[in-house]
Amino acid sequence: MSLDFPGLHRDMPLREYLALEALSMGDLRNVWISRARMDWRRQQEDAPSEDMQFGSALHLAILQPELFGDNVGFGPDELRSGEARAKQAELQTQFPIVLRSKHKVTLLQIAAIAENHPFWLQLLDLEETAPADVVREASMLWEVDGVACKSRPDVLFAIGEQLHIIDLKSVASIDRDFFTRSLAAGAYHLTAGWRALGLERCGRHLQSYTFFVVERENALEARAYALGHQDIERAKRCA
């Protein structure tokens, strides 16, 4: 099956995707509270937290390593001196993501563990043998009753006629019980339903959805947790 179908945009830059006037899963989480909250949240320009920046850097390191060096900078660990603050400000004009230098080793360790995990190696093998059947950080666009919608799965790939999604998550612990609680707290499963619905609007069917989970605190391990067919169907009804 070709991954080139209406609604899938392989090369859309992230900034362009974020600027699109379309409903995302994040918008839905807010609109469930109220429409006013969603509109307010869209207007905020809060600087991303260090955890958010770390997650974005990790996604680049694992999913798009060719873009990592141009987009991630490492600055002073402490900002107490004027010299350190000036250096930080300079880096922020050069890189979209700036982390404290102490995070660099941990970040690269996590990326190396992920890239050498058997699950990820299988994906790399598929990319090598059938590169057209794997796309990373592509943008999906569709409409529901005239309302534009969007999503950006980390990895979308095809095996024969079946479509699969991999969702990269960095968490404090990859323990199953801990991740199950994180799954519920972050409503990650609803993102699976949202993307499954989007694919259906594009004329495709989602066969599987796998969370590839890396440990943020100790950088020791990675695991893959798959949602079953019934899980995806329930998530679709909730989304």
Side-chain angles (χ1 to χ4, degrees):
M1 173 186 288
S2 171
L3 281 179
D4 292 318
F5 54 82
L8 182 72
H9 300 262
R10 288 175 173 263
D11 301 316
M12 180 181 291
L14 178 58
R15 290 180 186 274
E16 183 178 338
Y17 168 81
L18 293 174
L20 288 172
E21 289 292 331
L23 276 178
S24 67
M25 191 64 230
D27 291 328
L28 285 184
R29 290 192 185 100
N30 288 316
V31 82
W32 286 331
I33 301 173
S34 72
R35 174 59 188 266
R37 180 180 176 86
M38 185 188 76
D39 291 340
W40 172 81
R41 190 62 197 167
R42 281 182 163 184
Q43 295 170 6
Q44 303 309 300
E45 297 184 358
D46 298 338
S49 67
E50 187 171 53
D51 281 347
M52 292 173 64
Q53 292 236 36
F54 187 92
S56 297
L58 185 61
H59 271 68
L60 282 173
I62 297 174
L63 297 171
Q64 296 175 299
E66 71 280 4
L67 301 179
F68 183 83
D70 291 335
N71 287 276
V72 182
F74 294 93
D77 287 329
E78 300 291 342
L79 299 177
R80 295 176 181 174
S81 70
E83 182 181 355
R85 290 192 293 271
K87 178 62 176 178
Q88 182 79 355
E90 179 185 353
L91 287 168
Q92 288 172 338
T93 66
Q94 299 172 5
F95 298 98
I97 301 169
V98 178
L99 296 171
R100 287 183 283 176
S101 292
K102 69 177 185 179
H103 293 309
K104 184 174 184 178
V105 172
T106 302
L107 184 68
L108 297 180
Q109 282 178 340
I110 296 173
I113 290 168
E115 291 164 357
N116 288 286
H117 190 279
F119 178 81
W120 201 256
L121 292 174
Q122 289 179 346
L123 177 69
L124 296 178
D125 287 342
L126 178 61
E127 277 187 310
E128 186 173 340
T129 57
D133 290 339
V134 181
V135 58
R136 303 187 186 198
E137 295 283 2
S139 299
M140 289 168 41
L141 307 177
W142 67 96
E143 285 192 2
V144 177
D145 298 330
V147 177
C149 303
K150 65 181 181 179
S151 191
R152 193 175 171 94
D154 293 332
V155 181
L156 176 66
F157 66 97
I159 298 178
E161 296 297 311
Q162 299 179 342
L163 287 184
H164 309 264
I165 284 177
I166 299 173
D167 193 350
L168 176 64
K169 296 295 182 189
S170 61
V171 295
S173 170
I174 61 170
D175 172 77
R176 179 180 291 274
D177 290 340
F178 183 91
F179 181 67
T180 299
R181 293 193 296 271
S182 299
L183 189 75
Y188 299 152
H189 60 297
L190 298 184
T191 302
W194 179 245
R195 289 169 175 168
L197 289 171
L199 283 171
E200 288 181 4
R201 288 285 175 168
C202 296
R204 296 293 188 268
H205 174 73
L206 180 63
Q207 181 65 26
S208 76
Y209 196 99
T210 302
F211 294 102
F212 187 59
V213 186
V214 295
E215 200 167 54
R216 186 173 59 239
E217 300 299 327
N218 298 316
L220 294 175
E221 206 174 344
R223 284 183 187 169
Y225 293 114
L227 293 180
H229 175 73
Q230 291 183 344
D231 296 321
I232 295 173
E233 290 301 312
R234 282 196 294 268
K236 284 165 54 179
R237 290 194 293 271
C238 293

